[in-house]
Amino acid sequence: ILLAFLITAVIAVVAFAQPPAPPAQPPAKAPATPEAQAEAAAAAPAKVDDQAKPAEPATPAKAESPAPASSEQWITGSVDLGYRWVGEAGNLPTYRSIVNLGSGPKLTGLDFTITDPKHRLFDRIDARANSWGGDPYNTAHIDVSKRGLYELRGDYRNIAYFNAVPSFANPLAPLGLDEQSFDMRRRSGYLDLQLFPGKHMMPYLVFERNSGYGHGVETWVQDSNDSFAVPMLLRDSTNNYRGGLRLEYNRWHVTLEGGGTRFKDDDQASANGSSFGDRTTPILGGTEVLNTLTQTYGVRGSSTYTKALATASPFSWLDLNGQFLYSQPSTDARYFDIASGNFALLSSVLLYSGQYNIDSSNSNGKHTLANAGMEIRPFKRLKIVDSFSVNRYNETGIGALTQQILLTPGSTYPALLSALSTPQNVTNYRQQVEAIFDVTGKITLRGGYRYEWGDATVLAGNLSQSGTLASGALKRNVGLAGATIRPLKKLSLNVDYEGASTTQDYFRTDLYNYQKVRARARYQASASLGFQANFAILDNQNPSQGVQYDFRSRDNSLAAFWMPNGGKRISVMAEYDRSTLYSNIDFLLLPFFTPTVSSYKENAHTATSTIDVALPTVAGIAPKLSAGGSLFIASGSRASRYYQPLGRLSLPLQKHVQWNTEWRWYGYGEQLYQYEGFRAHIFMTGLKLIR
């Protein structure tokens, strides 16, 4: 980094060896008319030396010049252009899964504003874009408005999602085909048009789209619970159309909205060549192998919905709000696969050489969501907040599956035919009341109670031992408490507590009997020095038979901020975080459903620090230096270390040009899976142009 700084400094000195050009002279003013000169002479105070002199007659102007044009710029903004070099060594899939920054030219930032002084089609256009040029996360946003007529907003985001950590699905085969890996792009965007902003009645139209495409690796699972890694192609998209009307008045607001959603998902997987699964031992006297596979999966879905939202303040001490949503989603799915190799059917103690499956299903549902709430202020220092919500989903699904097993060429096993018509119903209710009381101007207390309940009947999983359907219920009582204390003008404390007792729950890993505490403190020692501390703990237990789930998480952090003289010359930020995590849960180990326990522990240290320094001005150049970085050190079930130091130098070459240079280093390693470590030096330099 010192070499980079020296090179940048030498180039800057050479660039500024020539003296700066003299400033441009302001344009000469056009001579005024005789009437204007007379008015100016009458309005301006007379000089002392001229008070005794008689006024001279005004000289008529030779020619009348037009007034100078407005000096206001119609476009302002900045653009950041640069080039990045990446020197990477170690495990490339892990580097791409965590960092994924690439080499090449980059548009790191673009920000501009266009104004129309004549206010014809628009008053103002604001646009910005970040991280273009192959980076894993690109964004673009635009706002166009004409006062009182319309506001148009557009947003676009492009995410390069790469996840191929070798040890995730099969730690014993790091050099083979990584199971459950993804290399895909996910794009999302929207257009939002609002008419007559600021008026009482505001119609609006919104279009949203989310799509993904790419490839990866998935697992093809057999009856023997053996998994084969196979390449796959992914493609999906969701379009959402909605429009409505907002009514805004002093004491009430109403929004009426309707819309629809269209969804499709097309996945394909294929394999050609001998592939051995995760099972390394023979089964039924033979070794399982996959020779060929063709698999297709397609889903089409749609939904229409209606939504109404309202808020009102009928009295100065009462606020009301409510929302109602009703939708009717439907889905059609098709699945097909054909495979050859050597497989095992444990239920029939059978080895076979091939199979094909054909499946089709359809589902239609009704979804109702409603909530209502109010805020009552019976006294000056007391506020009561009450809310109630209900979420109900009813679905009817029909599915048919045909499975044909091929024993030898020309010989088949009786086809397995199954048809299923399953109704699914889920209902959740939630009621919460909370009181907030200002004891004094420096002490505020909070207390409340929440009750959650519901029931569900859904299709059971493939490994369910209780039948086709699975039923569950939810009954949870939650106590709420909190306080905000300001004992000193520069010190503030905030504490929140939540404790729950549950008798029934839907999911094995959901919160059951838990206590949650969060505390925050902020101390402003001076105008330039501040401290902030945070503490959080979550302790959850589920003693149900066959679950025995224990989960504990603790997080403690301390941060300091120092900006003397408003950070004009130097600013420092430092933060340290200490976290611990522990989980323990019972589960059944396949293929013989052997009871066992899954445990995970992690003790981690995280630190982040940056310092920004404005260096002394040399030859009219005021460089700015930034240095710092972050680190993560964890011990426990998956001990790992991650370092990310950085250095940055900024040189203003002239009023509208700034040269930025940056160096980063990424280092990652694991104690158990050493083959997943990587190191990367990243150097980037470029210009920022400002208008």
Side-chain angles (χ1 to χ4, degrees), residues 405-428:
I405 293 177
L406 309 175
L407 298 178
T408 58
S411 175
T412 62
Y413 190 77
L416 303 177
L417 304 176
S418 61
L420 183 65
S421 177
T422 306
Q424 300 189 107
N425 302 285
V426 179
T427 304
N428 287 332

PDB file of all heavy atoms in Angstrom, residues 405-428:
ATOM      1  N   ILE A 405     -40.328 -48.968 -11.837  1.00  0.00           N
ATOM      2  CA  ILE A 405     -38.989 -49.481 -11.572  1.00  0.00           C
ATOM      3  C   ILE A 405     -38.633 -50.508 -12.637  1.00  0.00           C
ATOM      4  O   ILE A 405     -39.418 -51.418 -12.934  1.00  0.00           O
ATOM      5  CB  ILE A 405     -38.914 -50.102 -10.166  1.00  0.00           C
ATOM      6  CG1 ILE A 405     -39.070 -48.999  -9.113  1.00  0.00           C
ATOM      7  CG2 ILE A 405     -37.601 -50.835  -9.969  1.00  0.00           C
ATOM      8  CD1 ILE A 405     -39.092 -49.517  -7.701  1.00  0.00           C
ATOM      9  N   LEU A 406     -37.428 -50.359 -13.225  1.00  0.00           N
ATOM     10  CA  LEU A 406     -36.938 -51.252 -14.279  1.00  0.00           C
ATOM     11  C   LEU A 406     -35.918 -52.203 -13.672  1.00  0.00           C
ATOM     12  O   LEU A 406     -34.881 -51.766 -13.157  1.00  0.00           O
ATOM     13  CB  LEU A 406     -36.305 -50.441 -15.412  1.00  0.00           C
ATOM     14  CG  LEU A 406     -37.157 -49.287 -15.963  1.00  0.00           C
ATOM     15  CD1 LEU A 406     -36.366 -48.495 -16.996  1.00  0.00           C
ATOM     16  CD2 LEU A 406     -38.452 -49.812 -16.563  1.00  0.00           C
ATOM     17  N   LEU A 407     -36.231 -53.526 -13.721  1.00  0.00           N
ATOM     18  CA  LEU A 407     -35.333 -54.507 -13.118  1.00  0.00           C
ATOM     19  C   LEU A 407     -34.197 -54.860 -14.073  1.00  0.00           C
ATOM     20  O   LEU A 407     -33.030 -54.604 -13.807  1.00  0.00           O
ATOM     21  CB  LEU A 407     -36.123 -55.760 -12.738  1.00  0.00           C
ATOM     22  CG  LEU A 407     -37.232 -55.546 -11.697  1.00  0.00           C
ATOM     23  CD1 LEU A 407     -37.975 -56.834 -11.449  1.00  0.00           C
ATOM     24  CD2 LEU A 407     -36.663 -55.002 -10.407  1.00  0.00           C
ATOM     25  N   THR A 408     -34.505 -55.441 -15.209  1.00  0.00           N
ATOM     26  CA  THR A 408     -33.534 -55.775 -16.247  1.00  0.00           C
ATOM     27  C   THR A 408     -34.148 -55.372 -17.581  1.00  0.00           C
ATOM     28  O   THR A 408     -35.346 -55.101 -17.654  1.00  0.00           O
ATOM     29  CB  THR A 408     -33.227 -57.288 -16.258  1.00  0.00           C
ATOM     30  OG1 THR A 408     -34.451 -58.012 -16.470  1.00  0.00           O
ATOM     31  CG2 THR A 408     -32.590 -57.719 -14.940  1.00  0.00           C
ATOM     32  N   PRO A 409     -33.376 -55.298 -18.639  1.00  0.00           N
ATOM     33  CA  PRO A 409     -33.971 -54.964 -19.939  1.00  0.00           C
ATOM     34  C   PRO A 409     -35.137 -55.878 -20.271  1.00  0.00           C
ATOM     35  O   PRO A 409     -35.016 -57.093 -20.288  1.00  0.00           O
ATOM     36  CB  PRO A 409     -32.798 -55.155 -20.905  1.00  0.00           C
ATOM     37  CG  PRO A 409     -31.578 -54.925 -20.077  1.00  0.00           C
ATOM     38  CD  PRO A 409     -31.903 -55.447 -18.710  1.00  0.00           C
ATOM     39  N   GLY A 410     -36.306 -55.298 -20.482  1.00  0.00           N
ATOM     40  CA  GLY A 410     -37.503 -56.050 -20.791  1.00  0.00           C
ATOM     41  C   GLY A 410     -38.278 -56.512 -19.576  1.00  0.00           C
ATOM     42  O   GLY A 410     -39.316 -57.157 -19.719  1.00  0.00           O
ATOM     43  N   SER A 411     -37.804 -56.215 -18.366  1.00  0.00           N
ATOM     44  CA  SER A 411     -38.479 -56.647 -17.138  1.00  0.00           C
ATOM     45  C   SER A 411     -38.755 -55.427 -16.267  1.00  0.00           C
ATOM     46  O   SER A 411     -37.889 -54.563 -16.112  1.00  0.00           O
ATOM     47  CB  SER A 411     -37.611 -57.651 -16.367  1.00  0.00           C
ATOM     48  OG  SER A 411     -38.217 -57.976 -15.123  1.00  0.00           O
ATOM     49  N   THR A 412     -39.973 -55.343 -15.732  1.00  0.00           N
ATOM     50  CA  THR A 412     -40.356 -54.209 -14.894  1.00  0.00           C
ATOM     51  C   THR A 412     -40.965 -54.689 -13.592  1.00  0.00           C
ATOM     52  O   THR A 412     -41.474 -55.802 -13.491  1.00  0.00           O
ATOM     53  CB  THR A 412     -41.368 -53.303 -15.615  1.00  0.00           C
ATOM     54  OG1 THR A 412     -42.557 -54.061 -15.881  1.00  0.00           O
ATOM     55  CG2 THR A 412     -40.788 -52.758 -16.904  1.00  0.00           C
ATOM     56  N   TYR A 413     -40.884 -53.807 -12.590  1.00  0.00           N
ATOM     57  CA  TYR A 413     -41.520 -54.030 -11.302  1.00  0.00           C
ATOM     58  C   TYR A 413     -42.913 -53.395 -11.368  1.00  0.00           C
ATOM     59  O   TYR A 413     -43.104 -52.403 -12.082  1.00  0.00           O
ATOM     60  CB  TYR A 413     -40.676 -53.372 -10.212  1.00  0.00           C
ATOM     61  CG  TYR A 413     -41.069 -53.718  -8.798  1.00  0.00           C
ATOM     62  CD1 TYR A 413     -40.720 -54.941  -8.250  1.00  0.00           C
ATOM     63  CD2 TYR A 413     -41.768 -52.810  -8.020  1.00  0.00           C
ATOM     64  CE1 TYR A 413     -41.062 -55.260  -6.943  1.00  0.00           C
ATOM     65  CE2 TYR A 413     -42.119 -53.117  -6.720  1.00  0.00           C
ATOM     66  CZ  TYR A 413     -41.766 -54.339  -6.182  1.00  0.00           C
ATOM     67  OH  TYR A 413     -42.109 -54.649  -4.900  1.00  0.00           O
ATOM     68  N   PRO A 414     -43.898 -53.962 -10.679  1.00  0.00           N
ATOM     69  CA  PRO A 414     -45.239 -53.356 -10.735  1.00  0.00           C
ATOM     70  C   PRO A 414     -45.184 -51.861 -10.437  1.00  0.00           C
ATOM     71  O   PRO A 414     -44.530 -51.421  -9.476  1.00  0.00           O
ATOM     72  CB  PRO A 414     -46.010 -54.126  -9.669  1.00  0.00           C
ATOM     73  CG  PRO A 414     -45.312 -55.444  -9.589  1.00  0.00           C
ATOM     74  CD  PRO A 414     -43.854 -55.167  -9.840  1.00  0.00           C
ATOM     75  N   ALA A 415     -45.842 -51.091 -11.288  1.00  0.00           N
ATOM     76  CA  ALA A 415     -45.824 -49.634 -11.135  1.00  0.00           C
ATOM     77  C   ALA A 415     -46.477 -49.231  -9.821  1.00  0.00           C
ATOM     78  O   ALA A 415     -47.477 -49.825  -9.385  1.00  0.00           O
ATOM     79  CB  ALA A 415     -46.530 -48.973 -12.300  1.00  0.00           C
ATOM     80  N   LEU A 416     -45.884 -48.220  -9.181  1.00  0.00           N
ATOM     81  CA  LEU A 416     -46.432 -47.669  -7.946  1.00  0.00           C
ATOM     82  C   LEU A 416     -47.257 -46.438  -8.302  1.00  0.00           C
ATOM     83  O   LEU A 416     -46.722 -45.436  -8.784  1.00  0.00           O
ATOM     84  CB  LEU A 416     -45.300 -47.306  -6.982  1.00  0.00           C
ATOM     85  CG  LEU A 416     -44.347 -48.454  -6.607  1.00  0.00           C
ATOM     86  CD1 LEU A 416     -43.231 -47.943  -5.707  1.00  0.00           C
ATOM     87  CD2 LEU A 416     -45.114 -49.568  -5.913  1.00  0.00           C
ATOM     88  N   LEU A 417     -48.554 -46.533  -8.105  1.00  0.00           N
ATOM     89  CA  LEU A 417     -49.455 -45.438  -8.436  1.00  0.00           C
ATOM     90  C   LEU A 417     -50.011 -44.855  -7.150  1.00  0.00           C
ATOM     91  O   LEU A 417     -50.422 -45.591  -6.247  1.00  0.00           O
ATOM     92  CB  LEU A 417     -50.604 -45.931  -9.318  1.00  0.00           C
ATOM     93  CG  LEU A 417     -50.204 -46.638 -10.612  1.00  0.00           C
ATOM     94  CD1 LEU A 417     -51.443 -47.148 -11.336  1.00  0.00           C
ATOM     95  CD2 LEU A 417     -49.406 -45.712 -11.502  1.00  0.00           C
ATOM     96  N   SER A 418     -50.024 -43.556  -7.055  1.00  0.00           N
ATOM     97  CA  SER A 418     -50.580 -42.900  -5.869  1.00  0.00           C
ATOM     98  C   SER A 418     -51.231 -41.595  -6.273  1.00  0.00           C
ATOM     99  O   SER A 418     -50.732 -40.881  -7.142  1.00  0.00           O
ATOM    100  CB  SER A 418     -49.498 -42.650  -4.813  1.00  0.00           C
ATOM    101  OG  SER A 418     -48.491 -41.796  -5.316  1.00  0.00           O
ATOM    102  N   ALA A 419     -52.376 -41.357  -5.676  1.00  0.00           N
ATOM    103  CA  ALA A 419     -53.094 -40.095  -5.890  1.00  0.00           C
ATOM    104  C   ALA A 419     -53.428 -39.514  -4.533  1.00  0.00           C
ATOM    105  O   ALA A 419     -53.733 -40.243  -3.580  1.00  0.00           O
ATOM    106  CB  ALA A 419     -54.356 -40.318  -6.698  1.00  0.00           C
ATOM    107  N   LEU A 420     -53.365 -38.213  -4.432  1.00  0.00           N
ATOM    108  CA  LEU A 420     -53.529 -37.570  -3.133  1.00  0.00           C
ATOM    109  C   LEU A 420     -54.345 -36.301  -3.278  1.00  0.00           C
ATOM    110  O   LEU A 420     -54.095 -35.483  -4.160  1.00  0.00           O
ATOM    111  CB  LEU A 420     -52.148 -37.232  -2.542  1.00  0.00           C
ATOM    112  CG  LEU A 420     -52.120 -36.616  -1.149  1.00  0.00           C
ATOM    113  CD1 LEU A 420     -52.639 -37.620  -0.129  1.00  0.00           C
ATOM    114  CD2 LEU A 420     -50.709 -36.185  -0.793  1.00  0.00           C
ATOM    115  N   SER A 421     -55.345 -36.184  -2.443  1.00  0.00           N
ATOM    116  CA  SER A 421     -56.130 -34.956  -2.348  1.00  0.00           C
ATOM    117  C   SER A 421     -56.078 -34.509  -0.902  1.00  0.00           C
ATOM    118  O   SER A 421     -56.659 -35.159  -0.020  1.00  0.00           O
ATOM    119  CB  SER A 421     -57.573 -35.186  -2.799  1.00  0.00           C
ATOM    120  OG  SER A 421     -58.329 -34.003  -2.632  1.00  0.00           O
ATOM    121  N   THR A 422     -55.354 -33.431  -0.635  1.00  0.00           N
ATOM    122  CA  THR A 422     -55.069 -33.038   0.739  1.00  0.00           C
ATOM    123  C   THR A 422     -55.508 -31.609   1.001  1.00  0.00           C
ATOM    124  O   THR A 422     -55.010 -30.675   0.367  1.00  0.00           O
ATOM    125  CB  THR A 422     -53.552 -33.152   1.021  1.00  0.00           C
ATOM    126  OG1 THR A 422     -53.120 -34.463   0.686  1.00  0.00           O
ATOM    127  CG2 THR A 422     -53.262 -32.878   2.478  1.00  0.00           C
ATOM    128  N   PRO A 423     -56.426 -31.400   1.932  1.00  0.00           N
ATOM    129  CA  PRO A 423     -56.720 -30.032   2.378  1.00  0.00           C
ATOM    130  C   PRO A 423     -55.722 -29.603   3.444  1.00  0.00           C
ATOM    131  O   PRO A 423     -55.343 -30.386   4.326  1.00  0.00           O
ATOM    132  CB  PRO A 423     -58.135 -30.152   2.943  1.00  0.00           C
ATOM    133  CG  PRO A 423     -58.208 -31.565   3.436  1.00  0.00           C
ATOM    134  CD  PRO A 423     -57.340 -32.386   2.521  1.00  0.00           C
ATOM    135  N   GLN A 424     -55.263 -28.364   3.351  1.00  0.00           N
ATOM    136  CA  GLN A 424     -54.333 -27.820   4.337  1.00  0.00           C
ATOM    137  C   GLN A 424     -54.919 -26.528   4.895  1.00  0.00           C
ATOM    138  O   GLN A 424     -55.391 -25.681   4.134  1.00  0.00           O
ATOM    139  CB  GLN A 424     -52.966 -27.554   3.707  1.00  0.00           C
ATOM    140  CG  GLN A 424     -52.315 -28.800   3.128  1.00  0.00           C
ATOM    141  CD  GLN A 424     -50.886 -28.556   2.700  1.00  0.00           C
ATOM    142  OE1 GLN A 424     -49.954 -28.998   3.335  1.00  0.00           O
ATOM    143  NE2 GLN A 424     -50.716 -27.819   1.607  1.00  0.00           N
ATOM    144  N   ASN A 425     -54.870 -26.393   6.213  1.00  0.00           N
ATOM    145  CA  ASN A 425     -55.445 -25.228   6.880  1.00  0.00           C
ATOM    146  C   ASN A 425     -54.484 -24.743   7.956  1.00  0.00           C
ATOM    147  O   ASN A 425     -54.007 -25.540   8.778  1.00  0.00           O
ATOM    148  CB  ASN A 425     -56.797 -25.573   7.519  1.00  0.00           C
ATOM    149  CG  ASN A 425     -57.797 -26.098   6.508  1.00  0.00           C
ATOM    150  OD1 ASN A 425     -58.350 -25.348   5.718  1.00  0.00           O
ATOM    151  ND2 ASN A 425     -58.015 -27.406   6.519  1.00  0.00           N
ATOM    152  N   VAL A 426     -54.213 -23.456   7.926  1.00  0.00           N
ATOM    153  CA  VAL A 426     -53.350 -22.829   8.931  1.00  0.00           C
ATOM    154  C   VAL A 426     -54.026 -21.547   9.399  1.00  0.00           C
ATOM    155  O   VAL A 426     -54.435 -20.719   8.572  1.00  0.00           O
ATOM    156  CB  VAL A 426     -51.953 -22.511   8.362  1.00  0.00           C
ATOM    157  CG1 VAL A 426     -51.095 -21.833   9.425  1.00  0.00           C
ATOM    158  CG2 VAL A 426     -51.274 -23.774   7.842  1.00  0.00           C
ATOM    159  N   THR A 427     -54.140 -21.383  10.717  1.00  0.00           N
ATOM    160  CA  THR A 427     -54.743 -20.180  11.292  1.00  0.00           C
ATOM    161  C   THR A 427     -53.886 -19.707  12.451  1.00  0.00           C
ATOM    162  O   THR A 427     -53.563 -20.493  13.350  1.00  0.00           O
ATOM    163  CB  THR A 427     -56.176 -20.440  11.780  1.00  0.00           C
ATOM    164  OG1 THR A 427     -56.953 -20.951  10.692  1.00  0.00           O
ATOM    165  CG2 THR A 427     -56.814 -19.161  12.287  1.00  0.00           C
ATOM    166  N   ASN A 428     -53.519 -18.426  12.423  1.00  0.00           N
ATOM    167  CA  ASN A 428     -52.740 -17.815  13.503  1.00  0.00           C
ATOM    168  C   ASN A 428     -53.465 -16.582  14.016  1.00  0.00           C
ATOM    169  O   ASN A 428     -53.993 -15.785  13.229  1.00  0.00           O
ATOM    170  CB  ASN A 428     -51.345 -17.400  13.016  1.00  0.00           C
ATOM    171  CG  ASN A 428     -50.434 -18.587  12.792  1.00  0.00           C
ATOM    172  OD1 ASN A 428     -50.591 -19.617  13.430  1.00  0.00           O
ATOM    173  ND2 ASN A 428     -49.493 -18.450  11.868  1.00  0.00           N
TER     174      ASN A 428
END
